[in-house]
Amino acid sequence: DLDQIWAVGCSNGGMSTFELAVDERSASRLAGIVPIVGLPHYGYSRGPAVEGIRMMGMWGETDTIVPPKSNTDNPDKTLDTSSPGWFYTSSDKVMSDWTSGNDCSGNGQDPLSSSDEEQWGISSFGDSLTCTQGCREEADSTRVVGCVFNDGHVCDKDFIWEPIFNFMMDAIAVTPTPTAAPAVSTVSPT
């Protein structure tokens, strides 16, 4: 289904999902992105190049490589403290950019509904995940969700993948089913 192309990546791969979504050559092909412990470098968070791209970000609260929350004087900037020198955009700023980039109201810090938490499997992990959303008014289409989990720079935990797959499957459920291609009539040469 060419309407359901997702870009998913961990760490540098997560950063690359943002690049795919801001590049006009690839953005129009994406249904959504899922960056895991990856954020844009500071100054490069722009939101999607085209409206309607979904996002579910997963970031580790104790991640010292790509910290999701500001550890600088600037609330939009984070600093890699494992090998200082790399600056990243905070997850709050990314959520705000993606919410406005999808022409939605708010700043990406609205709470998830309990039905979304349950449907996506977030509630089954207790306090492991704290999630917010943008585009709440677009409940049947564009969704922007950011989750911070109680761990570091990891990509292989069930509390990361179960909600991601449920989020992507939910997108498939609300995407209109394409109409069937018209039948092609063939005429055999005589």
Side-chain angles (χ1 to χ4, degrees):
D1 181 355
L2 295 178
D3 292 326
Q4 291 300 325
I5 298 173
W6 287 80
V8 180
C10 175
S11 193
N12 278 337
M15 292 175 210
S16 295
T17 66
F18 289 107
E19 290 302 313
L20 290 169
V22 300
D23 188 325
E24 292 179 11
R25 295 170 296 177
S26 54
S28 64
R29 300 173 191 272
L30 295 174
I33 67 168
V34 180
I36 305 166
V37 298
L39 290 159
H41 284 285
Y42 180 68
Y44 291 90
S45 178
R46 297 183 294 272
V50 297
E51 288 178 26
I53 299 176
R54 293 172 160 242
M55 186 208 34
M56 178 178 252
M58 291 281 190
W59 303 293
E61 184 174 21
T62 60
D63 189 344
T64 60
I65 299 168
V66 184
K69 300 298 179 184
S70 178
N71 54 6
T72 70
D73 292 340
N74 181 337
D76 297 339
K77 182 194 283 187
T78 72
L79 171 65
D80 169 359
T81 58
S82 66
S83 59
W86 296 104
F87 290 103
Y88 298 99
T89 306
S90 71
S91 59
D92 289 347
K93 172 74 169 132
V94 167
M95 290 294 293
S96 178
D97 291 343
W98 270 73
T99 299
S100 64
N102 273 305
D103 200 29
C104 299
S105 61
N107 63 359
Q109 298 303 308
D110 293 333
L112 287 179
S113 70
S114 57
S115 64
D116 285 338
E117 284 190 357
E118 192 167 313
Q119 182 172 350
W120 298 333
I122 293 168
S123 59
S124 65
F125 293 103
D127 293 335
S128 293
L129 294 168
T130 303
C131 303
T132 61
Q133 69 175 327
C135 300
R136 179 162 60 182
E137 70 272 20
E138 302 289 334
D140 291 335
S141 60
T142 304
R143 300 300 290 271
V144 175
V145 176
C147 298
V148 176
F149 56 83
N150 296 330
D151 212 330
H153 198 78
V154 298
C155 302
D156 59 350
K157 305 290 184 178
D158 287 343
F159 61 78
I160 296 172
W161 288 101
E162 183 177 329
I164 287 170
F165 285 124
N166 290 333
F167 180 79
M168 291 190 298
M169 294 304 292
D170 184 43
I172 291 170
V174 298
T175 301
T177 306
T179 56
V184 176
S185 173
T186 59
V187 178
S188 305
T190 54

